[in-house]
């Protein structure tokens, strides 16, 4: 199958035209071989469809140049040879190895799926340090529906939220990255099918925010990636776990350095020592101990990152240490809620790129525990969740009226 940008001609005589964004290369053919082969492939398909097609055009937008490509015997042979190779590769059980340290990869649209550095490192083909992935910031955003009794449906290319037949909100599906449903909200089959086609996941939560399920069409086809993940998880993955914990401690330290008003030097020194110790931990037990000590240091400094009026005993945002399941006060409620959203986000991301969120490296696999999502959340907790909570409190965006206290417990 080929998609022709433009076809020009008359009667049965046609030539395909391919538009290219850049400039024509400075070589005798004024084009690259893949471009000529692509055009020739289109020409061969047009011939099969009954047209006479002996040439095509490459149009380079930046240099405003039109380059004629003749489909001579050499080019046709080369195209057929490459097609045979392509068929052979497509028929293999394993995908071809990614390019090694190629400058093409960072700009490739498949980099998030192909994961070239990570795949090569796991297969022992790459010794260079991994290049960090820089995900783009998509314009689409998650849609959260917490209006009880609402019905979420589809009208053409829009997602519509109705309650008692009244339209409450309408969003273009193009602008939706995820649909999150809280409590008793219905979703129509028509919408679900459209979300599957567009690869938009739907996440279900209880009324209280407990993440209970996800629907996202067919699972990823990247079998080899999952196989390697299971092998690494079974082998223990201490080295990966060390770096995750070290990353978490360093990020906690960064947040503290930027926000604490007093008493930092000692805590910063202890966190720096903890990050180094995490990288050389000899067992999961010692890594847990290092992480626990760093967390105690970090959370003991949390009041220093709050505005002064919140630091008074009895204030809505007074801090008395980290507690959970259930969180007992307003700050712990916010932290737990932000962490659960982060884990949800990472569970969805794991599934989207083909990982199994239940096979982790630091958090041991256990029934019902998305260990890999929890692992990945470690490094991001301070930067995404804690900093968000601090901003919400210090900027006055949440207050006492936003919490319900029952039996002495905030929610
Ligand atoms: S990221 Fe793109 S260019 Fe790099 S190996 Fe994968 S598919 Fe090829």
């Amino acid at each position: 199958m080929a998609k022709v940008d433009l076809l020009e001609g008359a009667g049965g005589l046609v030539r395909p035209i391919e538009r290219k964004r850049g400039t024509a290369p400075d070589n005798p053919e004024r084009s690259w071989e893949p471009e000529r082969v692509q055009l020739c492939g289109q020409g061969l398909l047009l011939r099969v469809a009954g047209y006479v097609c002996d040439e095509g055009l490459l149009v380079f937008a930046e240099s405003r140049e039109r380059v004629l490509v003749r489909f001579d015997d050499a080019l046709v042979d080369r195209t057929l040879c490459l097609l045979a190779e392509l068929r052979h590769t497509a028929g293999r059980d394993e995908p071809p190895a990614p390019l090694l340290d190629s400058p093409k990869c960072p700009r490739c649209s498949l980099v998030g799926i192909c994961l070239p550095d990570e795949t090569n490192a796991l297969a022992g083909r790459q010794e260079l340090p991994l290049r960090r992935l820089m995900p783009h910031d998509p314009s689409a955003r998650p849609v959260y529906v917490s209006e009880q009794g609402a019905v979420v449906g589809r009208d053409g290319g829009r997602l519509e939220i109705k309650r008692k037949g009244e339209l409450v909100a309408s969003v273009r599906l193009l602008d939706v990255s995820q649909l999150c449903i809280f409590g008793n909200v219905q979703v129509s089959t028509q919408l679900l099918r459209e979300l599957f086609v567009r690869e938009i996941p739907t996440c279900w939560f209880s009324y209280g925010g407990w993440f209970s399920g996800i629907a996202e069409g067919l699972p990823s086809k990247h079998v080899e990636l999952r196989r390697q993940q299971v092998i690494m998880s079974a082998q223990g993955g201490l080295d990966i776990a060390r770096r995750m914990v070290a990353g978490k401690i360093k990020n906690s330290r960064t947040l503290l350095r930027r926000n604490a008003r007093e008493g930092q030097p000692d805590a910063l020194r202890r966190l720096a020592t903890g990050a180094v110790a995490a990288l050389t931990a000899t067992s999961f037990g010692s890594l847990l101990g290092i992480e626990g000590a760093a967390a105690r240091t970090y959370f003991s400094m949390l009041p220093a990152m709050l505005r002064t009026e919140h630091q008074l005993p009895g204030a809505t945002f007074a801090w008395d240490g980290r507690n959970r399941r259930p969180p007992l006060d307003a700050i712990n409620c916010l932290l737990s809620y932000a962490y659960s959203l982060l884990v949800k986000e990472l569970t969805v991301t794991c599934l989207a790129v083909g990982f199994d969120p239940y096979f982790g490296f630091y958090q041991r696999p256990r029934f019902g525990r998305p260990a890999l999502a929890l692992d990945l959340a470690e490094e991001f907790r301070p930067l995404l969740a804690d900093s968000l909570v601090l901003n919400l409190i210090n900027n006055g965006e949440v207050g006492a009226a936003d919490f319900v206290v029952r039996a002495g417990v905030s929610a």
Side-chain angles (χ1 to χ4, degrees):
M1 193 171 77
K3 201 169 170 187
V4 180
D5 280 351
L6 204 65
L7 197 61
E8 70 173 19
L13 186 66
V14 293
R15 61 181 183 186
I17 299 176
E18 264 299 301
R19 292 200 195 96
K20 299 293 168 195
R21 266 188 294 175
T23 55
D26 189 13
N27 63 18
E29 295 91 355
R30 306 292 294 153
S31 59
W32 299 112
E33 189 193 49
E35 296 164 344
R36 296 195 294 278
V37 167
Q38 180 192 14
L39 210 52
C40 183
Q42 295 170 357
L44 293 179
L45 283 174
L46 287 164
R47 283 182 192 176
V48 172
Y51 294 96
V52 177
C53 182
D54 295 325
E55 61 188 27
L57 267 181
L58 288 168
V59 179
F60 291 90
E62 208 172 311
S63 55
R64 296 170 173 256
E65 214 172 321
R66 290 161 68 92
V67 176
L68 187 69
V69 178
R70 294 200 189 285
F71 304 151
D72 55 22
D73 291 347
L75 182 56
V76 170
D77 287 348
R78 178 71 180 142
T79 305
L80 292 176
C81 173
L82 286 171
L83 275 172
E85 271 183 42
L86 179 67
R87 262 192 217 106
H88 173 72
T89 306
R92 281 171 30 182
D93 286 342
E94 290 183 7
L99 297 175
L100 262 175
D101 194 34
S102 167
K104 290 181 191 163
C105 297
R107 281 178 287 121
C108 173
S109 59
L110 296 176
V111 68
I113 300 168
C114 174
L115 298 170
D117 286 7
E118 290 76 1
T119 310
N120 284 324
L122 279 176
R125 283 191 293 265
Q126 170 159 324
E127 286 173 6
L128 293 167
L130 306 190
R131 287 169 292 185
R132 279 204 88 96
L133 288 176
M134 294 294 176
H136 69 289
D137 184 17
S139 51
R141 293 280 182 260
V143 171
Y144 288 79
V145 187
S146 56
E147 178 76 28
Q148 298 304 289
V151 178
V152 193
R154 173 192 165 210
D155 184 6
R158 301 186 76 86
L159 178 150
E160 290 195 338
I161 303 167
K162 292 184 178 170
R163 192 164 186 280
K164 295 187 177 161
E166 297 272 315
L167 187 65
V168 178
S170 171
V171 195
R172 290 191 313 173
L173 281 165
L174 277 178
D175 298 328
V176 179
S177 66
Q178 212 179 82
L179 174 63
C180 299
I181 300 291
F182 288 75
N184 295 323
V185 175
Q186 309 303 319
V187 185
S188 77
T189 306
Q190 292 86 337
L191 175 65
L192 274 179
R193 268 211 312 270
E194 186 61 23
L195 295 177
F196 290 158
V197 171
R198 292 174 184 253
E199 298 182 355
I200 301 172
T202 306
C203 303
W204 276 270
F205 299 82
S206 68
Y207 176 66
W210 192 259
F211 185 22
S212 44
I214 178 169
E216 50 127 34
L218 296 172
S220 158
K221 299 179 178 68
H222 208 333
V223 183
E224 184 56 20
L225 183 76
R226 267 203 295 275
R227 201 168 69 88
Q228 289 292 340
Q229 183 198 353
V230 174
I231 293 170
M232 293 286 290
S233 174
Q235 287 169 350
L238 179 61
D239 188 41
I240 298 175
R242 281 191 200 118
R243 281 180 280 160
M244 284 172 168
V245 173
K248 177 185 179 182
I249 299 176
K250 282 184 195 166
N251 285 342
S252 305
R253 186 175 180 276
T254 302
L255 195 71
L256 203 57
R257 188 163 46 78
R258 288 185 186 158
N259 295 286
R261 291 176 179 78
E262 58 196 25
Q264 299 178 344
D266 185 43
L268 293 182
R269 206 168 28 251
R270 276 187 278 153
L271 289 175
T273 312
V276 174
L279 285 174
T280 51
T282 50
S283 67
F284 279 102
S286 62
L287 196 54
L288 276 169
I290 293 164
E291 190 210 349
R296 276 192 297 281
T297 303
Y298 169 68
F299 281 122
S300 71
M301 292 297 295
L302 199 128
M305 295 192 271
L306 294 174
R307 275 197 348 218
T308 35
E309 67 265 31
H310 300 312
Q311 299 171 7
L312 301 172
T316 306
F317 297 110
W319 176 251
D320 193 24
R322 177 82 180 116
N323 54 60
R324 58 206 177 112
R325 295 185 193 150
L328 300 174
D329 54 70
I331 298 185
N332 277 298
C333 274
L334 288 170
L335 287 175
S336 292
Y337 185 55
Y339 293 160
S340 67
L341 288 183
L342 181 59
V343 171
K344 179 268 294 181
E345 210 58 43
L346 290 164
T347 304
V348 172
T349 307
C350 286
L351 289 166
V353 297
F355 281 124
D356 184 329
Y358 287 87
F359 283 102
F361 302 102
Y362 180 47
Q363 308 277 342
R364 304 316 300 155
R366 203 174 69 194
F367 183 82
R369 174 195 267 177
L372 182 60
L374 288 164
D375 279 355
L376 295 171
E378 295 289 357
E379 275 187 82
F380 294 106
R381 280 179 187 220
L383 297 187
L384 295 181
D386 298 358
S387 67
L388 172 72
V389 170
L390 288 172
N391 276 328
L392 287 175
I393 297 172
N394 286 340
N395 295 340
E397 290 173 60
V398 287
D402 297 306
F403 296 87
V404 179
V405 181
R406 286 202 191 100
V409 176
S410 290

